[in-house]
Amino acid sequence: MKAIAQDAYGTTEMLSYRDVPTPEVGQDGVLLRVRAAGVDPSVWHFMTGEPRIARLALGPRKPRERVRGWDVAGIVEAVGPQVTEFRPGDEVFGTAPGSFAEFACAPAGKLQRKPVNLSFEQAAALPISGMTALIGLRDAGHIESGQRVLIIGAAGGVGHLAVQLAKHFGTEVTAVCSGGSVAFVRDLGADHVIDYTSEELSGRYDLILDMAGNRPLPVLRALLTETGALVLGGGENGGRWFGGLGRSASAQLLSPFVRQRLRALLSLPTPESLRAVTELATAGALAPRVTRTFALPDAATAIDHLAAGHSRGKSVIVVS
């Protein structure tokens, strides 16, 4: 099968479009014919091996998983003998290592049936970003109806879904983005929009979700109410060894000594969170905005576009 593979860490120059073996289905595995694959920061981290502390899990000298991609939507091609919830022909989505390929394989627990109101491209844009937004607001931030919520990085892959979720939970949402994305974010339902290129952040908020990853902790705390919650995500620009972990670690260490709740966003995909995201999408509360699509051979261009840092919504790899 054709796939986007790499043999060493580095830039997109390390990626190549080539033939690799089709993955084999395990006892509880599902083989998918990939229709679309989402492009999110995890792809960049796996490609570069940064922050370098992550290589303890990714592979110390080269990637353990040669084929890039994680988010996936496609059609079930085959199932393992222990799989009872899916059968060939089912339309599914979820997470599968190596989804930038014609076929990908995942445990059944990493997949859900594709909501009928989403295209394959929308479904492929949803899993990681949707679960991250949900975990950040619901689990880490303990969002409640009536709160004032600030979402920084509101036009991005996670941010644009977080705006929708925060409105679904009945909050007053202020979104932070660049001037070129103001109309895009307003269309998502944000009550107020701050263009960070021309306006200072202001106001007091019960909950802040920061997906931009570069504002100092004291600046963010000054925007919180006395008992507000700050959830820190992002962090691609925090250094080669630890990324944004330094700021998150400082917040975690400080949190027990202040009334404000300071949390690092550790988004680990779970079957429960994927089910919740599926239900929200089916109900219309989550609708991923796919603003760019790329053919499989052009995956390197898609990753470079993401790394430039000015994406709106999501980019998706479309596999013929």
Side-chain angles (χ1 to χ4, degrees):
M1 68 171 187
K2 293 294 186 181
I4 301 297
Q6 71 179 112
D7 298 313
Y9 291 121
T11 67
T12 50
E13 294 180 357
M14 298 293 104
L15 303 179
S16 63
Y17 176 64
R18 65 182 193 246
D19 288 306
V20 301
T22 300
E24 297 182 0
V25 181
Q27 291 291 306
D28 67 340
V30 177
L31 180 66
L32 303 180
R33 182 179 294 273
V34 178
R35 291 289 300 273
V39 184
D40 72 283
S42 69
V43 175
W44 182 88
H45 290 298
F46 275 73
M47 179 187 74
T48 60
E50 294 182 2
R52 292 197 173 184
I53 193 172
R55 296 189 186 189
L56 296 174
L58 304 180
R61 291 187 173 85
K62 61 182 181 180
R64 291 194 177 97
E65 175 60 57
R66 288 194 305 157
V67 180
R68 295 282 57 81
W70 200 8
D71 282 340
V72 70
I75 299 172
V76 175
E77 186 79 6
V79 299
Q82 295 180 3
V83 177
T84 59
E85 56 266 56
F86 302 117
R87 62 183 182 181
D90 286 345
E91 297 181 352
V92 299
F93 81 115
T95 57
S99 62
F100 287 5
E102 293 177 317
F103 294 92
C105 196
K110 301 290 187 182
L111 302 170
Q112 289 285 316
R113 294 185 184 277
K114 182 181 74 66
V116 295
N117 55 325
L118 297 187
S119 66
F120 281 105
E121 291 80 8
Q122 287 177 301
L126 182 59
I128 296 300
S129 294
M131 285 188 281
T132 301
L134 180 64
I135 291 169
L137 293 174
R138 183 194 66 180
D139 300 346
H142 302 292
I143 192 170
E144 296 180 5
S145 178
Q147 288 182 326
R148 298 185 67 198
V149 176
L150 180 70
I151 298 173
I152 303 174
V158 174
H160 90 286
L161 295 172
V163 170
Q164 297 176 53
L165 278 178
K167 290 303 299 178
H168 172 74
F169 287 126
T171 66
E172 180 182 338
V173 178
T174 298
V176 180
C177 62
S178 64
S181 298
V182 168
F184 173 80
V185 171
R186 286 195 188 280
D187 189 56
L188 298 172
D191 299 288
H192 315 283
V193 181
I194 297 175
D195 172 6
Y196 71 83
T197 65
S198 61
E199 303 174 66
E200 294 291 332
L201 271 60
S202 60
R204 297 294 293 276
Y205 302 93
D206 304 294
L207 170 60
I208 298 174
L209 176 66
D210 180 11
M211 295 308 304
N214 56 9
R215 288 176 176 81
L217 196 56
V219 171
L220 296 173
R221 288 190 60 209
L223 297 167
L224 279 179
T225 60
E226 291 184 359
T227 57
L230 169 64
V231 181
L232 296 171
E236 277 67 40
N237 52 0
R240 298 185 67 184
W241 281 95
F242 295 100
L245 297 179
R247 188 178 67 148
S248 296
S250 298
Q252 293 284 89
L253 290 172
L254 179 62
S255 189
F257 303 101
V258 298
R259 297 182 66 192
Q260 295 167 332
R261 290 175 287 121
L262 313 177
R263 301 286 183 266
L265 177 50
L266 300 176
S267 176
L268 299 177
T270 65
E272 183 280 327
S273 58
L274 184 59
R275 280 194 300 271
V277 164
T278 304
E279 292 169 1
L280 287 162
T282 301
L286 277 179
R289 302 292 181 92
V290 178
T291 55
R292 291 284 300 269
T293 60
F294 299 82
L296 181 60
D298 300 324
T301 303
I303 297 173
D304 284 336
H305 175 71
L306 172 75
H310 300 294
S311 297
R312 296 177 197 162
K314 295 281 293 192
S315 295
V316 169
I317 305 296
V318 177
V319 182
S320 174

